Amino acid sequence: MIASIESTESARFGQSVQNANCVVMVPPKEFGFNAQTAADNEFQHQVTLDAKSVKHNAMTEFKAMVAGLRRAGIQVVEFDYPLDASETPDAVFPNNWFSTTHEGAFYTFPMACNNRQQEVRPQALIDSLTAAGRKVVAVDSLTKYLDQGAFLESTGVMVKDHVNKTIYAALSQRCEREALEDYARRIGYHRVVSFQTALPSGQPIYHTNVMMAIGEHFAVICSEVIPEYERRFVVKSLANTKQVIDITLEQVNQFCGNILQLETVNGDKVIAMSQSAFDAFTPAQKQQLSTHGKLLPFDVSTIENIGGGSVRCMLGEVFLPARVQSL
């Protein structure tokens, strides 16, 4: 177990507590409809496009997003990987299998579907992060929970308020409470706010980050999917320190909850989102969000429609400290 370090580590490396200034992105070279994840992801859709066209469109969207983030001043680490016999159609969503901390810890997580478990390549990613100038000082894993048939899909199922050391999580097949609380203990986060959700179908939200996002001073949430007996508590908890922007279920379907505040190399704030989300936010909501950072919309409609995830899912935050170069 890795001890949490109460420190000014983030300040030492010129990075805010809440926002990463570096992200991992994985090219969608095997992208396609994933039948395994479709069992509980109602945001996925099959299309009539042939597989070659789907991959071409997805790669075009991916490259444009990488270029746009870099222009905005975000460090992007492109993590490529060799093809093998096991296809990974959802590899473009790396935030579900790893996470990092300001103290230099690197965690891996138990994924629910077999073909998503094949995405977990810790040493290869650590090597890429090291080459990009980041330092990993400790490695830990929660994949032991696979033996119990329990899953915890990293920042897909957990939305973190790093400032207040609080994790928010919608419980589901992909978010097991015991594993969630174990992880919180490991990183020294003293509060876990877990809750139930229900879509019109009666099924829970598969990943918390499609209905909730937390920035340094704001939170986006679709409170209507939370049962009334829990809703008030969750919203009040957020409102204690954040400006709460409530979105509708219709806006969730356009991925308005799947956004991420980041920090540029110059310390400016930006909020990455899809073009679908940007178009679905009301003018008043856009105005509210723009007070917290420049809005950066990207057209990832192919990836959203077929993969059931959006811009935030494509971004694996890197909080690792910079390697100190020897003189």
Side-chain angles (χ1 to χ4, degrees):
M1 184 175 294
I2 299 170
S4 173
I5 302 172
E6 294 283 352
S7 71
T8 56
E9 194 78 11
S10 59
R12 286 174 54 200
F13 294 99
Q15 186 178 331
S16 77
V17 173
Q18 182 64 34
N19 307 130
N21 58 17
C22 175
V23 292
V24 168
M25 294 184 68
V26 179
K29 57 189 182 183
E30 297 179 288
F31 182 74
F33 183 83
N34 188 346
Q36 291 186 27
T37 57
D40 65 345
N41 182 347
E42 297 186 19
F43 298 86
Q44 290 179 234
H45 302 95
Q46 288 186 308
V47 296
T48 56
L49 272 179
D50 62 276
K52 184 177 180 181
S53 297
V54 165
K55 290 175 185 176
H56 171 78
N57 292 350
M59 188 64 75
T60 299
E61 293 169 2
F62 171 84
K63 289 179 178 178
M65 184 171 155
V66 169
L69 287 168
R70 286 175 171 163
R71 282 195 302 271
I74 306 299
Q75 181 184 8
V76 179
V77 177
E78 288 190 65
F79 177 53
D80 206 345
Y81 61 94
L83 299 178
D84 58 32
S86 301
E87 285 197 0
T88 53
D90 279 340
V92 72
F93 304 132
N95 77 306
N96 300 143
W97 68 264
F98 83 95
S99 74
T100 59
T101 72
H102 289 290
E103 294 78 38
F106 180 99
Y107 287 86
T108 55
F109 293 85
M111 307 281 282
C113 297
N114 182 66
N115 62 12
R116 296 223 61 190
Q117 293 167 16
Q118 309 311 309
E119 299 171 27
V120 183
R121 301 176 173 92
Q123 191 55 56
L125 180 52
I126 289 170
D127 290 344
S128 293
L129 292 169
T130 301
R134 299 289 170 148
K135 180 172 64 175
V136 175
V137 299
V139 179
D140 199 0
S141 177
L142 287 94
T143 54
K144 68 175 186 179
Y145 283 98
L146 290 173
D147 296 336
Q148 303 173 26
F151 313 111
L152 187 71
E153 296 193 339
S154 191
T155 53
V157 298
M158 293 180 282
V159 178
K160 300 174 185 174
D161 178 355
H162 297 291
V163 176
N164 296 296
K165 294 187 178 296
T166 301
I167 294 175
Y168 292 83
L171 297 173
S172 69
Q173 172 183 297
R174 306 197 198 188
C175 182
E176 201 276 333
R177 191 191 299 269
E178 181 185 347
L180 172 67
E181 293 178 351
D182 182 9
Y183 173 69
R185 285 191 297 271
R186 294 188 195 203
I187 64 171
Y189 278 34
H190 55 77
R191 258 186 104 223
V192 175
V193 179
S194 58
F195 51 90
Q196 304 294 328
T197 60
L199 292 167
S201 65
Q203 295 301 308
I205 291 276
Y206 84 105
H207 274 167
T208 313
N209 73 3
V210 297
M211 52 79 66
M212 176 187 280
I214 295 177
E216 193 167 37
H217 300 297
F218 75 91
V220 171
I221 185 171
C222 179
S223 65
E224 68 180 88
V225 301
I226 304 173
E228 189 174 353
Y229 68 91
E230 293 181 305
R231 184 184 308 156
R232 184 177 301 178
F233 176 80
V234 175
V235 173
K236 183 178 179 181
S237 176
L238 291 167
N240 282 336
T241 58
K242 312 288 182 185
Q243 177 186 33
V244 176
I245 301 170
D246 210 337
I247 58 175
T248 65
L249 182 55
E250 183 178 349
Q251 289 178 307
V252 168
N253 289 330
Q254 298 303 314
F255 294 98
C256 289
N258 201 240
I259 68 176
L260 183 64
Q261 187 183 42
L262 296 166
E263 184 173 304
T264 72
V265 291
N266 296 321
D268 298 323
K269 302 294 190 297
V270 299
I271 303 175
M273 64 183 67
S274 71
Q275 188 66 50
S276 301
F278 180 84
D279 293 342
F281 278 120
T282 67
Q285 289 169 333
K286 288 177 190 175
Q287 178 59 36
Q288 287 176 305
L289 285 169
S290 66
T291 66
H292 300 286
K294 180 181 179 181
L295 307 188
L296 292 181
F298 300 101
D299 179 4
V300 292
S301 51
T302 303
I303 293 171
E304 282 180 328
N305 193 36
I306 298 171
S310 187
V311 163
R312 195 276 171 267
C313 299
M314 297 169 66
L315 301 172
E317 295 157 285
V318 178
F319 291 103
L320 299 170
R323 287 190 294 119
V324 178
Q325 300 295 323
S326 57
L327 299 176

